[in-house]
């Protein structure tokens, strides 16, 4: 479980991975990360869309929840070629002094993303807290690398927020969110006419930049990405007793459609979650 702060409230969001206090196997947080560039093409009936991404070597961590298939055949998978260009579409959103774009898959930026999520989601321990935080940060980065390698670039994106400025110098990342194409049968029961949807998870904001609309801009960028990829619905989960998070998502246009069954929560001590959806206007 993780906590984020928005305005005067605390936002909790369940991470798509679990943490155990041991470093990932065969992974070194301090080694350089090398990533070849990939150009991918997203096709539909009316247009052909071009974007870029990269692939990276796997850390070996099994994060099954965020592994997605490419759809195959005529269902809109992906294909591409290596390319040395920048390979990123432009800013998805510019509001409240923040802009959101796709993460550039370079060493420093991926480590910054891992640091933001680790800071937001880490739960302190009494002994050796600094050591366990470094392990957790390494695991977050390991999970990011695994998702990038195992998810086609038109079905998973890590979006980052930074300050809108005319300064050409390097900008600091202040927030991050993961957007993944899913096709879970239980969720699809609530999505009329859809066979896939965009799942929003891992939203995190640096402590010094919370309560400044960064989370709201990140949520809006997910909606823009869903439109760009042609998905009608966005889906996320929040804890039922977390009124701050539910208010944030409600203000962004999400509605509660279901909640976890009682026998999967109360009896085993898990907090009950609600399923929230938002429908996009694709026109």
């Amino acid at each position: 479980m993780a906590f984020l702060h928005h305005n005067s409230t605390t936002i909790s969001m369940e991470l798509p991975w679990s943490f155990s206090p041991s470093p990932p196997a065969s992974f070194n947080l301090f080694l350089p990360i090398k990533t070849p560039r990939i150009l991918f093409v997203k096709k539909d009936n009316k247009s052909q869309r071009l974007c870029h991404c990269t692939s990276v070597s796997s850390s070996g961590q099994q994060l099954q929840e965020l592994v997605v298939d490419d759809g195959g055949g005529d269902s809109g998978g992906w294909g591409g070629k290596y390319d040395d260009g920048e390979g990123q579409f432009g800013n998805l959103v510019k509001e409240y002094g923040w802009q959101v774009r796709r993460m550039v898959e370079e060493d420093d930026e991926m480590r910054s993303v891992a640091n933001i999520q680790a800071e937001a989601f880490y739960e302190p321990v009494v002994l050796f807290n600094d050591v366990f935080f470094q392990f957790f940060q390494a695991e977050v980065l390991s999970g990011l690398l695994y998702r990038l390698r195992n998810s086609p670039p038109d079905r998973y994106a890590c979006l980052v927020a930074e300050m809108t400025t005319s300064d050409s110098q390097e900008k600091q990342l202040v927030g991050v969110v993961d957007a993944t194409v899913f096709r879970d049968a239980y969720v699809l029961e609530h999505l009329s006419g859809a066979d896939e949807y965009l799942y929003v998870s891992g939203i995190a904001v640096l402590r010094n930049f919370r309560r400044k609309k960064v989370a709201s801009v990140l949520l809006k960028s997910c909606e823009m990405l869903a439109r760009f990829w042609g998905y009608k619905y966005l889906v996320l989960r929040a804890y039922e007793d977390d009124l701050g998070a539910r208010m944030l998502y409600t203000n962004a246009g999400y509605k509660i459609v279901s909640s976890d069954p009682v026998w999967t929560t109360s009896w085993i001590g898990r907090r009950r979650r609600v399923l929230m959806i938002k429908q996009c206007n694709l026109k």
Side-chain angles (χ1 to χ4, degrees):
M1 180 180 64
F3 295 93
L4 304 177
H5 296 279
H6 178 75
N7 296 330
S8 59
T9 62
T10 300
I11 300 170
S12 64
M13 176 171 284
E14 188 173 22
L15 276 171
W17 60 83
S18 60
F19 169 64
S20 58
S22 60
S26 65
F27 179 76
N28 190 334
L29 180 65
F30 304 102
L31 291 178
I33 303 169
K34 297 182 179 180
T35 60
R37 186 69 57 182
I38 292 177
L39 168 66
F40 74 85
V41 180
K42 170 69 175 176
K43 297 181 180 179
D44 55 30
N45 293 332
K46 296 182 179 180
S47 63
Q48 177 171 293
R49 301 168 181 172
L50 297 179
C51 296
H52 294 71
C53 192
T54 65
S55 73
V56 296
S57 59
S58 172
S59 66
Q61 183 177 1
Q62 302 299 313
L63 300 179
Q64 295 297 331
E65 180 177 352
L66 285 183
V67 178
V68 297
D69 60 53
D70 61 6
D74 296 330
S75 61
W78 69 284
K81 63 180 181 180
Y82 290 99
D83 177 67
D84 292 331
E86 289 300 321
Q88 300 293 321
F89 47 67
N91 294 314
L92 292 167
V93 176
K94 281 188 176 182
E95 284 188 1
Y96 306 112
W98 311 110
Q99 60 189 27
V100 179
R101 57 174 172 80
R102 191 170 196 161
M103 180 190 70
V104 177
E105 295 176 30
E106 297 177 349
D107 193 337
D108 291 342
E109 184 143 310
M110 287 190 287
R111 294 182 193 279
S112 294
V113 166
N115 180 68
I116 293 171
Q117 289 186 321
E119 179 189 286
F121 298 140
Y122 177 69
E123 296 182 1
V125 296
V126 176
L127 298 176
F128 306 109
N129 185 68
D130 292 342
V131 175
F132 285 137
F133 176 78
Q134 290 183 11
F135 289 164
F136 182 70
Q137 186 179 22
E139 187 166 0
V140 173
L141 180 56
S142 173
L144 174 62
L145 299 180
Y146 185 86
R147 293 192 297 276
L148 291 169
R149 182 178 185 272
N150 290 276
S151 302
D154 57 346
R155 297 177 67 83
Y156 168 74
C158 179
L159 305 179
V160 296
E162 59 192 0
M163 186 177 297
T164 302
T165 176
S166 58
D167 191 348
S168 60
Q169 296 181 354
E170 184 178 355
K171 300 174 183 177
Q172 180 184 9
L173 301 187
V174 299
V176 59
V177 65
D178 292 311
T180 312
V181 178
F182 275 172
R183 54 176 66 173
D184 182 84
Y186 171 76
V187 175
L188 291 174
E189 293 177 359
H190 304 280
L191 309 180
S192 176
D195 56 5
E196 292 180 325
Y197 56 90
L198 194 67
Y199 186 72
V200 178
S201 64
I203 185 169
V205 178
L206 281 177
R207 184 175 293 107
N208 292 338
F209 295 92
R210 294 169 188 168
R211 302 188 299 275
K212 297 181 179 181
K213 296 290 187 178
V214 178
S216 298
V217 175
L218 285 168
L219 289 172
K220 187 169 184 180
S221 69
C222 291
E223 181 179 356
M224 298 301 295
L225 182 63
R227 292 177 179 177
F228 180 75
W229 282 349
Y231 294 103
K232 186 177 181 181
Y233 293 98
L234 294 104
V235 177
L236 56 77
R237 286 185 171 89
Y239 289 115
E240 186 177 50
D241 59 358
D242 193 337
L243 300 182
R246 288 171 53 180
M247 181 176 296
L248 171 67
Y249 303 142
T250 299
N251 290 341
Y254 289 82
K255 297 181 180 180
I256 297 175
V257 295
S258 70
S259 58
D260 290 340
V262 175
W263 59 84
T264 65
T265 54
S266 301
W267 292 358
I268 61 176
R270 285 183 55 188
R271 294 173 67 188
R272 197 177 189 189
R273 302 172 305 169
V274 294
L275 182 70
M276 305 184 72
I277 68 171
K278 179 177 183 177
Q279 183 173 343
C280 294
N281 182 2
L282 298 181
K283 295 183 179 179

